[in-house]
Amino acid sequence: MPPFSRSLQAARAFGLSLFMMTLACQDSEPEEALEQQSPRLVLEPGQLVVSITFDDARASQVNAASLLEARGLRGTFFVSSGRLGLPGYLTLAQLRSFQAAGHEVGGHTVSHVQLPTLDVDSQRRQVCDDRVALMNAGLRVTSFAYPSGARDATTEQVVIDCNYNSARESGGLRTPDSCAGCPYAETVPPQDAFAIRNHGSVQRTQTLADLQGLVLRAESAGGGWVPIAFHEICPGPCPTSETYGINVSTFTAFLDWLAARASRGTFVRTVDQVIGGAVKPPVNGPPLPDAGTPPPTQLLKNPSLETDSNADGAPDCWQRGGYGANAFTWARTSDAHSGSWAQRLSLTSYSSGDRKLISLQDLGACAPPLTTGHRYRVSAWYKATAAPLFKAYYRNASGGWVWWAQSALLPTRGTYGYAEWTTPAAPAAGLRLSVGLALERVGTLTLDDFRLEDLGTSPFTPLEPGPPPAP
């Protein structure tokens, strides 16, 4: 598949500015970095290599890097370029210091999306433009990890076409309670370099003995490769909301134990050191299909939530989002305001955060453009036993999605009713828009028939005297 000639304009501008800053503090030309080639690792019989990997660019991973370095170990950090510098996430300066210390930085898509839910061009933008931005920032990027391990044959080919050397999935190796027919370790080289197997992500309920068991069973089975995926490094016991976290004391004890096993043939290497190979040139993703065309009156795609082409329950161009400590269920329901389908959210317990249905936060195939200074009116039909509210997010130049604004609480309704909300003037930092309805308390919310309109620069747009006709 030929390289694409242009990428998303904002991602290109972001990458170019970072690249110029990087040149100012580098002694060598970027072409020299592309010529660097890692030798492929060769194991002796019975040897085991362990890769300590980290997903999602969590800010707490700075502590993990320091702990690794103190023991002569190095890790692989899979990052989403659009999240860098946002609250709770790593910065580019930290990643550059990681690389200077011998750690590896890998790609994880621009905005951490499950790739198979997107069309192929959107997948290319997420994978290719993420690598372009990281490499233009002076980072050596050869390894990729699929967000949530979600992949299919199309996604795997996209990663290959974006010039990665490898990609890690989630699962495929045997544990005491899963994948009974699977091996205990990946082979070196792996059976599929773009579907590298592991034991899934480390969870807060796993103990030091559990982590040691991943290594001991692989040693007993004859060696090979065990990539271990961490996320949050909790300073104390991880809260119940942090499913993929590990207490720093448990993590430290595991590193101490692992470092001592080098004498029996078990050692730690980054993913790039295991796979080997040259750093291939960056490849841009395709341009946005709507570049240069005026926005339609209805800015949302699939606004009545009817189409679900992959049958996963979530409507195309929408995502079921949320955060915090709460319990919830989603359903695709035939109890629709119009058409055949609506979405139903049940929040059964609540301590913090929210749950919401919002328009898909992608790089532009579904997310409508945002114009500086313009106001936007979002409306929907809903019924609810607890007060919902509208929420709006914008995408910045690096591809990260940022909370922007929200409405006041809306009334509860036993039958379908109409609600609308007008946003503040769009900030200059916003390039794309995502909107939807959320719950922040126990109750149910059934929602359908959204609409999003660009109201221009009018300082005030009154509410309509009545709802528009049902679509």
Side-chain angles (χ1 to χ4, degrees), residues 96-434:
R96 291 192 185 104
S97 70
F98 287 3
Q99 180 171 275
H103 299 286
E104 178 189 5
V105 176
H108 204 41
T109 71
V110 172
S111 51
H112 197 274
V113 295
Q114 294 196 19
L115 291 167
T117 66
L118 307 179
D119 63 83
V120 66
D121 277 356
S122 296
Q123 292 189 40
R124 290 171 182 145
R125 294 184 195 102
Q126 284 284 345
V127 178
C128 291
D129 289 346
D130 180 48
R131 185 168 185 259
V132 167
L134 294 173
M135 291 189 68
N136 282 351
L139 299 170
R140 185 185 192 278
V141 183
T142 64
S143 308
F144 181 80
Y146 301 102
S148 304
R151 69 173 184 89
D152 56 22
T154 298
T155 298
E156 189 169 326
Q157 188 60 52
V158 165
V159 176
I160 294 170
D161 293 338
C162 292
N163 269 351
Y164 278 100
N165 293 349
S166 70
R168 195 209 70 208
E169 62 170 321
S170 181
L173 295 185
R174 186 174 176 178
T175 69
D177 55 3
S178 68
C179 211
C182 297
Y184 287 110
E186 178 61 277
T187 58
V188 177
Q191 65 173 10
D192 183 349
F194 293 90
I196 296 170
R197 296 169 289 185
N198 76 346
H199 297 95
S201 296
V202 173
Q203 300 188 30
R204 66 178 183 83
T205 55
Q206 290 179 267
T207 65
L208 174 60
D210 291 331
L211 296 177
Q212 292 170 337
L214 303 179
V215 176
L216 293 172
R217 286 186 291 272
E219 288 177 348
S220 298
W225 184 17
V226 173
I228 304 178
F230 296 94
H231 288 71
E232 186 72 18
I233 309 299
C234 304
C238 294
T240 56
S241 59
E242 196 60 71
T243 301
Y244 299 107
I246 183 171
N247 182 288
V248 68
S249 61
T250 303
F251 181 72
T252 302
F254 177 63
L255 294 185
D256 287 336
W257 177 85
L258 185 60
R261 299 195 72 74
S263 60
R264 61 90 47 223
T266 293
F267 54 94
V268 175
R269 294 292 185 272
T270 67
V271 174
D272 179 60
Q273 289 172 330
V274 176
I275 296 295
V279 184
K280 300 171 187 174
V283 177
N284 291 320
L288 290 173
D290 60 351
T293 61
T297 302
Q298 161 63 288
L299 297 176
L300 296 174
K301 296 185 178 180
N302 194 23
S304 192
L305 315 180
E306 293 297 304
T307 307
D308 177 16
S309 57
N310 63 356
D312 66 349
D316 294 353
C317 277
W318 293 83
Q319 64 190 62
R320 297 164 167 175
Y323 70 101
N326 47 71
F328 62 94
T329 59
W330 282 99
R332 190 185 191 212
T333 175
S334 59
D335 181 15
H337 173 255
S338 72
S340 301
W341 300 104
Q343 290 285 306
R344 179 182 171 87
L345 166 64
S346 297
L347 203 57
T348 54
S349 70
Y350 179 87
S351 296
S352 63
D354 71 15
R355 291 295 148 184
K356 52 188 171 274
L357 184 77
I358 52 176
S359 53
L360 187 65
Q361 295 180 343
D362 65 1
L363 294 185
C366 294
L370 191 64
T371 302
T372 301
H374 284 209
R375 296 169 183 266
Y376 294 81
R377 180 166 57 211
V378 56
S379 62
W381 290 82
Y382 76 95
K383 54 183 177 179
T385 63
L389 69 164
F390 287 106
K391 293 197 174 186
Y393 300 78
Y394 68 79
R395 184 172 66 77
N396 60 25
S398 62
W401 283 91
V402 180
W403 176 86
W404 172 22
Q406 63 190 40
S407 72
L409 292 174
L410 303 172
T412 59
R413 297 180 184 274
T415 59
Y416 272 107
Y418 173 85
E420 64 177 42
W421 169 61
T422 299
T423 71
L431 299 178
R432 295 271 162 178
L433 178 60
S434 170

